[in-house]
Amino acid sequence: MIAAGVTGPVPGSLGALPELGGHAALIVTSSTPLWYITRATGVVALVLLTLGMALGLLTAVRFEGRHWPRFITIGLHRNMSLVALAFTAAHVLTTITDNFVPIDLQDAFVPFISPYRPLWLGLGAIALDLLIALTVTSLLRARLGHRS
């Protein structure tokens, strides 16, 4: 990330900022591994949720290839969604437990109340709430019936 006009040490960084083409480079590091785990689990969850959604769409249109039977698509969709749910839970837990930025438990579930980046955390809270609703309705799908 490049920040124009920034000089001197930045909180959370290791020292002075190197100069890059007249701009100072903002290097953000943390001494806690939770900072890195939070970002890694977030990226992996995003990729897995995207792939799971694509596989769900293929399942909905009943995609079947000559060398790709439908049960493989369905199984991959279910397993990838489960792993994505686990990575999302790990992302939320590490975000809450990390002290690098003050994010509380209610910030993860109630949209737009966080003092730190309220727009992005609010969108994440909405996404988490929708993911929880989707998971609960998927688990109860057999009991809900077709009309519900």
Side-chain angles (χ1 to χ4, degrees):
M1 184 185 314
I2 305 294
V6 177
T7 58
V10 175
S13 71
L14 293 177
L17 299 172
E19 292 290 327
L20 294 174
H23 298 285
L26 181 61
I27 302 171
V28 179
T29 59
S30 175
S31 60
T32 175
L34 285 176
W35 190 86
Y36 296 105
I37 294 171
T38 296
R39 275 122 190 101
T41 54
V43 169
V44 172
L46 178 65
V47 170
L48 288 173
L49 286 168
T50 303
L51 292 174
M53 183 191 66
L55 287 168
L57 291 172
L58 288 177
T59 301
V61 297
R62 299 180 183 268
F63 173 78
E64 186 173 358
R66 185 173 173 200
H67 299 291
W68 191 269
R70 195 176 327 158
F71 73 89
I72 291 178
T73 306
I74 294 169
L76 277 174
H77 169 67
R78 287 180 182 163
N79 291 327
M80 193 167 298
S81 299
L82 182 62
V83 173
L85 187 63
F87 271 95
T88 303
H91 175 66
V92 171
L93 289 175
T94 56
T95 300
I96 292 169
T97 57
D98 188 15
N99 292 330
F100 186 72
V101 176
I103 298 174
D104 297 326
L105 182 63
Q106 68 265 11
D107 296 336
F109 294 99
V110 181
F112 309 113
I113 65 167
S114 175
Y116 176 76
R117 298 189 180 183
L119 175 67
W120 298 113
L121 281 171
L123 292 175
I126 290 171
L128 180 64
D129 294 341
L130 290 173
L131 185 61
I132 291 170
L134 181 69
T135 303
V136 168
T137 55
S138 294
L139 292 173
L140 297 176
R141 190 171 91 179
R143 295 183 184 192
L144 290 176
H146 293 291
R147 189 157 188 228
S148 298

